[in-house]
Amino acid sequence: MEESMGSGVNLTAAEKAMTEPLLPRSSYSGFPYLEAVVGFMICMYFFETYLDIRQHRVLKLPTLPATLKGVVSEEKFKKARSYSLDKSRFHFIHAAFNIVEEAAILTFGLLPYFWQKCGILLVNMGFSPENEILRTLLFLGATTIWSQVVELPFSLYSTFVIEARHGFNKQTVWLFFKDMVLGMLLMVVLGPPIVSAIIILVQKGGPYLALYLWGFMLVLSLAMMAIYPILIAPLFNKFTPLPDGELRGKIEKLASSLNFPLKKLFVIDGSTRSSHSNAYMYGFFNSKRIVLYDTLIQQCKEEEVVAVLAHELGHWKLSHTMYSFVAMQVLTLLQFGGYTLVRNSTDLFRSFGFSSQPVLIGLVLFQHTIMPLHHLVSFGLNLVSRAFEFQADAFARKLGYAENLRGGLIKLQEENLSAMNTDPWYSAYHYSHPPLVERLQALELSAKKDE
């Protein structure tokens, strides 16, 4: 039996089932997953807003913390204070908008609405709505466009008003939109095969599904770690070898003394987009690369750059990178294990307004339901990360870079106009790196112990 839609397209019984009206909330009487998720989101919003208010009050303090007095200039402090307050005010507005948007999307059933419309669109295009891969890709495309459009005003204001006002933004409007389009094109190229593979794995995974999904994500993450710096990052920035000279010689000497298998040393043109500075390492096994932002070289003395790299190499020497990678793999496996327990739960899908059980939707809903665990795990990982930062600082100090590391950290804090005053609750919850005050105090305490 066939039914004709307003569009003039005839649907089979199976197609009708896939494009049926949205499931009314009143028809569901099971566990209130939707209400629990939205309620937790709102509670977390109020909790994080309370922390934001505490931090905002601290940012208003007119004086430097005692540790930084005589170390950071009053001019830099005033600029950093103004920059931090501007970002804080903007964050209050952005966070309020986000919670309203996210709660509305879930409460008013926009996810099942988009899913239904994607099924109808497939029928109009001559495809079956039962083709879950095509329907999922359409759904992802629609939600991604929605997200990009909604977030665009905030991104533009942050980049071309706040960042520009404080002297950080260096990119043009053309470059901004070029980066955005490139990012979307990469999603179009990389997204479909990844999403298709996940859907097929879930459909055919059987009792070992969690292991298959984890193995796939492990291979994918390793592949991305390999190709990103070689094929993707150069699309956005220019990488040039660090010229021969004293700085290169000092870095190579440091790497050699630690048996770090440095193969290439690059400078990235970060100044084309921002005057913020950074440095990072990447690579596998015996083929490591170090990348320095040109802004870092411009802002710091050579010895300070080397000291900052000594800190970064400390993470490698102390296996922090490996520990973090292993921890993330364990957490990923546990998440997929939890997903396999609920992926066939009709109550979970029906609570959010879905009458069918698509793979991608199941993953999204599962992530929503374990948000409390996500927050706890994130907090725990931040604690571990902060401990690693102290250890890496101590490593650089033992190599004799204590004073230059101290100078480099202060210089980076000043040049990036980072917050000089921080609320202890706010920093404990949000920061993966200890505040500058705590790092300088730790270096000073270690120096006294050595004496």
Side-chain angles (χ1 to χ4, degrees):
M1 182 177 179
E2 295 182 346
E3 176 176 329
S4 178
M5 297 182 63
S7 61
V9 177
N10 292 325
L11 299 179
T12 65
E15 290 168 340
K16 177 184 175 183
M18 291 295 288
T19 55
E20 62 186 357
L22 301 179
L23 186 67
R25 287 287 303 145
S26 58
S27 68
Y28 176 72
S29 59
F31 183 83
Y33 288 102
L34 171 62
E35 289 79 0
V37 167
V38 173
F40 180 77
M41 286 169 52
I42 293 172
C43 288
M44 286 306 302
Y45 166 73
F46 283 116
F47 170 68
E48 292 181 351
T49 299
Y50 168 69
L51 295 180
D52 292 338
I53 292 172
R54 289 178 60 98
Q55 175 68 0
H56 193 78
R57 287 173 179 168
V58 171
L59 292 174
K60 287 183 175 180
L61 293 175
T63 58
L64 280 161
T67 306
L68 299 183
K69 286 182 178 178
V71 175
V72 174
S73 70
E74 195 65 26
E75 179 188 3
K76 286 291 185 181
F77 169 63
K78 289 180 179 179
K79 288 182 178 180
R81 181 171 172 267
S82 175
Y83 178 51
S84 296
L85 285 171
D86 271 0
K87 290 196 300 179
S88 178
R89 295 185 192 100
F90 175 72
H91 172 73
F92 280 117
I93 297 171
H94 196 190
F97 177 86
N98 281 342
I99 187 62
V100 171
E101 180 198 15
E102 291 169 8
I105 286 173
L106 295 178
T107 303
F108 295 111
L110 290 183
L111 291 181
Y113 173 81
F114 272 123
W115 183 257
Q116 181 200 50
K117 293 303 179 183
C118 288
I120 295 173
L121 181 59
L122 275 181
V123 173
N124 291 336
M125 294 168 63
F127 297 98
S128 169
E130 292 182 329
N131 188 325
E132 188 172 338
I133 290 178
L134 286 180
R135 191 167 180 176
T136 299
L137 293 176
L138 274 179
F139 177 82
L140 283 176
T143 54
T144 299
I145 292 172
W146 168 279
S147 177
Q148 290 280 358
V149 170
V150 169
E151 282 298 312
L152 183 59
F154 294 101
S155 297
L156 288 171
Y157 186 85
S158 176
T159 301
F160 294 102
V161 178
I162 295 179
E163 295 294 307
R165 178 186 298 159
H166 297 278
F168 287 116
N169 179 53
K170 303 300 179 185
Q171 63 180 328
T172 61
V173 174
W174 155 251
L175 187 56
F176 176 90
F177 282 103
K178 176 189 173 186
D179 285 351
M180 187 175 72
V181 171
L182 270 176
M184 294 185 71
L185 288 176
L186 284 171
M187 290 177 63
V188 170
V189 172
L190 299 176
I194 294 172
V195 171
S196 301
I198 291 174
I199 292 173
I200 292 171
L201 280 173
V202 172
Q203 291 174 341
K204 302 182 181 297
Y208 301 106
L209 173 60
L211 286 174
Y212 295 149
L213 286 173
W214 169 77
F216 173 73
M217 294 306 296
L218 173 62
V219 172
L220 178 63
S221 62
L222 292 174
M224 289 303 297
M225 287 168 62
I227 69 172
Y228 177 81
I230 299 173
L231 299 178
I232 298 177
L235 296 175
F236 298 91
N237 289 98
K238 183 179 180 181
F239 292 75
T240 55
L242 180 66
D244 291 334
E246 289 188 15
L247 179 58
R248 185 181 185 95
K250 291 173 182 177
I251 294 173
E252 290 176 340
K253 182 180 178 181
L254 170 64
S256 177
S257 69
L258 299 174
N259 295 319
F260 179 76
L262 178 62
K263 295 299 180 183
K264 293 184 180 179
L265 189 51
F266 292 111
V267 177
I268 183 175
D269 62 339
S271 58
T272 58
R273 288 167 173 78
S274 171
S275 58
H276 288 297
S277 51
N278 199 3
Y280 64 90
M281 302 177 299
Y282 67 92
F284 293 102
F285 307 113
N286 294 323
S287 181
K288 304 285 189 181
R289 281 104 165 150
I290 291 177
V291 177
L292 304 174
Y293 276 57
D294 55 358
T295 47
L296 178 68
I297 298 174
Q298 295 162 9
Q299 294 167 0
C300 295
K301 299 175 182 177
E302 286 187 357
E303 290 297 338
E304 292 171 344
V305 173
V306 177
V308 170
L309 287 178
H311 166 95
E312 296 300 328
L313 289 173
H315 286 304
W316 170 79
K317 194 69 173 179
L318 298 172
S319 301
H320 292 166
T321 306
M322 182 57 68
Y323 292 147
S324 299
F325 182 78
V326 171
M328 292 308 300
Q329 295 310 310
V330 172
L331 290 172
T332 301
L333 179 58
L334 290 175
Q335 284 191 64
F336 284 135
Y339 165 70
T340 60
L341 298 177
V342 302
R343 71 185 182 92
N344 293 320
S345 169
T346 55
D347 279 355
L348 177 61
F349 287 87
R350 285 172 63 85
S351 177
F352 284 88
F354 288 92
S355 55
S356 58
Q357 297 173 259
V359 170
L360 178 81
I361 298 300
L363 286 167
V364 171
L365 298 184
F366 175 69
Q367 291 299 316
H368 278 304
T369 59
I370 63 171
M371 271 197 300
L373 289 177
H374 271 303
H375 284 280
L376 286 175
V377 169
S378 178
F379 177 67
L381 291 176
N382 276 351
L383 293 178
V384 173
S385 175
R386 288 157 70 101
F388 283 170
E389 292 302 315
F390 283 125
Q391 292 174 15
D393 283 349
F395 180 85
R397 178 186 59 80
K398 290 177 182 177
L399 293 178
Y401 292 101
E403 282 305 311
N404 285 309
L405 177 60
R406 184 175 182 274
L409 292 175
I410 293 169
K411 192 74 64 67
L412 291 175
Q413 186 87 358
E414 289 182 325
E415 295 300 328
N416 289 310
L417 298 183
S418 301
M420 305 293 176
N421 290 300
T422 54
D423 176 75
W425 289 20
Y426 179 90
S427 63
Y429 180 77
H430 284 290
Y431 286 8
S432 61
H433 286 53
L436 176 63
V437 169
E438 295 180 18
R439 296 178 72 174
L440 294 183
Q441 288 173 341
L443 286 171
E444 185 178 347
L445 182 61
S446 298
K448 289 180 178 178
K449 287 182 179 179
D450 290 343
E451 292 175 1

